[in-house]
Amino acid sequence: MSLATRTSLAKPLGAVVRVIGARATPKSFRLRQGTCLVGASKDCDVVIEDTGISRQHVELGLVAEGITVRDLKSRNGTFYLGQRVEAITLALGSRIQLGAAEVLLEPDLDGLGAGEVYTEATYRGMIGGSVGMRSLFGTLARLEGSLVTVLVTGESGVGKELVARALHEGSSVASAPLVTVNCGAIAPELVASELFGHRRGAFTGASDNRKGAFESANGGTLFLDEIGELPLDVQPMLLRALESGEVRPVGADRATRVKTRVIAATHRDLRREVSTQGFREDLYYRIAVVELAVPPLRERLDDIKELADGFARAAGLDSLPVDVIARLRARRWPGNVRELRNVVQAYAALGRLPVEATSAEALGGATTLDRLIDVTRPYADQKDALLDQFTREYLVRLMEHTGGNQSAAARLSRLDRSWLWRLLVKHGLANT
């Protein structure tokens, strides 16, 4: 499917205008193009019965960024976050106040992901002919042109960052920057500075003014990876930035206005985190305006051949032999697509699949531990080999999780940083 065809199939993401706190006809109105009028007059698209509402109170318009709100010189005003506004553009998921009525501007998710079947097995650099992936591709195609806030969920290694890049490339700000921040790879005390910037002297070590990720992504997209790791004390700051479009650098007297689309991702169950008070409920609903789930590799085994062959070509090989593909399909893939890439790269370097990749090839169900135990060899030798294997695999995953940040890796592993460095050197991972 060509880009032109894909764009022609994509329908703009509409809005649902919903009224609470006052009688309205209708209680909810689907805005799929153009504008709608809200007021007390029966000529309006949404009629609100409240003495504080003017006959034609406010005009709402659908745009890529969300909804334009234009007050029509109403008597009592239109309010957003407690401030009277005359004209403003708000992201879907926002709400405004008209008299006693609260008007919710929600995304119209009706049919999202259940529209036209995406026929191709690739989408903006992603590969997947399985039903689950083509369903995801179809949803992404429906979101093209929109700047709605999206939460991408899925296990570690499934490729959530590729989904974020596809969302950015398919948006109206594709030519602007895409800035990525891994919330789990930053020291907790530095997260606010990383996101919002800081002024010189704001804290020890702040020798110069520094622009934060929101400002760096101004006009484009900010991808907040592993947002579930965001410290609780920073979450209100992020919520304010999302709702107001303003960020205040650490140590600054005034806020800076930014126009930044946000995409977030997590491997955590944020609904559960909300129930245990590990994540703010209001922030969750603000970032999960649209939620996209990326299926794990074990649920899309039909994609392994195309993925593996792609990784092989990138490593300088031709298509992989049939028996190698069969052995790859026999794995459970707890590390998902990232693990598959690493295994194929190891195969390209060694000419054989590493032990981890063949742990499930014995149909009798033998585990990696079973394969390492050989009673004809000394206990100490096998113990050291197993420990080395565990240590290397642990370090690989640790450095992937922290984006190569050794300070963050030392904190998570509770290893002294100098000792962590020596382990990385020993296992050939010092440049990870």
Side-chain angles (χ1 to χ4, degrees), residues 59 73 90 113 124-125 189 242 261 308 350 371 392:
E59 180 188 72
K73 299 183 179 179
L90 299 177
R124 295 193 181 277
E189 64 273 15
L242 291 172
R261 191 259 186 101
L350 302 173
R371 293 174 175 276
R392 190 180 196 285

Side-chain angles (χ1 to χ4, degrees), residues 45-66:
D45 299 291
V46 179
V47 181
I48 302 178
E49 300 177 28
D50 181 82
T51 57
I53 303 295
S54 297
R55 289 181 56 79
Q56 291 190 342
H57 197 109
V58 68
E59 180 188 72
L60 305 177
L62 190 65
V63 292
E65 293 87 348

Side-chain angles (χ1 to χ4, degrees), residues 20 37 45 51 102 108 151 170 173 181 213 300 305 359 376 404 423:
I20 58 176
L37 287 178
D45 299 291
T51 57
E102 197 168 21
D108 185 0
L151 175 64
V173 296
V181 174
R300 43 183 291 220
K305 176 173 169 48
S359 61
T376 66
L423 287 175

